[in-house]
């Protein structure tokens, strides 16, 4: 059961949220998370919604699969001379999603008394 819950969390974190029809047409569409299946348009929207507009043009030909394969050095080189943006981009792509998944998994393994179940 714990493995199934972990798989469900991982899938939910990796997939973007469904769009809503209640948003005004003037609202800019945003992508909450990139996956290997993300399109080039999704990548550009994700970059914009995560405040990477200064470096977004460098990634106009990248889809989700290409973005997920980037190393920290790749991000720094592509974003040069703005190396700090490259590091922040790498963190957003690879580090923060793992931390969020780990937090979700820890929350799912808590027992009713609030302690963490070590067996899970």
């Amino acid at each position: 059961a714990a493995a199934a819950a972990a798989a469900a969390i991982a899938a939910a974190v990796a997939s973007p949220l469904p769009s809503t029809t209640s948003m005004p047409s003037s609202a800019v569409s945003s992508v909450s998370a990139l996956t290997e299946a993300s399109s080039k348009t999704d990548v550009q929207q994700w970059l914009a919604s995560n405040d990477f507009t200064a470096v977004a043009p460098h990634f106009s030909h990248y889809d989700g699969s290409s973005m997920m394969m980037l190393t920290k050095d790749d991000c720094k080189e592509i974003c040069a001379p703005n190396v700090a943006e490259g590091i922040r981009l790498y963190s957003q792509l690879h580090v923060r999603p793992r931390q969020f998944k780990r937090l979700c998994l820890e929350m799912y393994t808590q027992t009713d008394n609030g302690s963490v179940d070590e067996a899970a």
Side-chain angles (χ1 to χ4, degrees):
I9 292 170
V13 170
S15 63
L17 295 173
S19 62
T20 62
T21 56
S22 63
M23 291 180 61
S25 60
S26 61
V28 175
S29 172
S30 67
V31 176
S32 62
L34 287 182
T35 67
E36 290 185 356
S38 297
S39 68
K40 293 176 184 178
T41 302
D42 292 338
V43 168
Q44 290 300 307
Q45 290 174 349
W46 181 86
L47 289 167
S49 68
N50 285 281
D51 199 26
F52 288 108
T53 53
V55 298
H58 299 294
F59 298 95
S60 62
H61 299 293
Y62 285 74
D63 60 11
S65 178
S66 300
M67 293 296 286
M68 294 299 149
M69 292 190 310
L70 292 173
T71 65
K72 185 186 260 185
D73 287 336
D74 291 336
C75 291
K76 290 179 352 186
E77 184 177 329
I78 294 167
C79 294
N82 197 344
V83 174
E85 280 296 275
I87 294 169
R88 188 171 75 85
L89 174 62
Y90 177 82
S91 177
Q92 291 279 330
L93 287 171
H94 299 289
V95 177
R96 292 184 81 200
R98 279 188 300 207
Q99 290 173 343
F100 181 73
K101 286 178 188 177
R102 184 174 45 241
L103 175 65
C104 289
L105 289 173
E106 288 173 4
M107 290 172 55
Y108 259 76
T109 59
Q110 287 186 350
T111 61
D112 288 353
N113 64 8
S115 64
V116 175
D117 183 2
E118 296 297 328

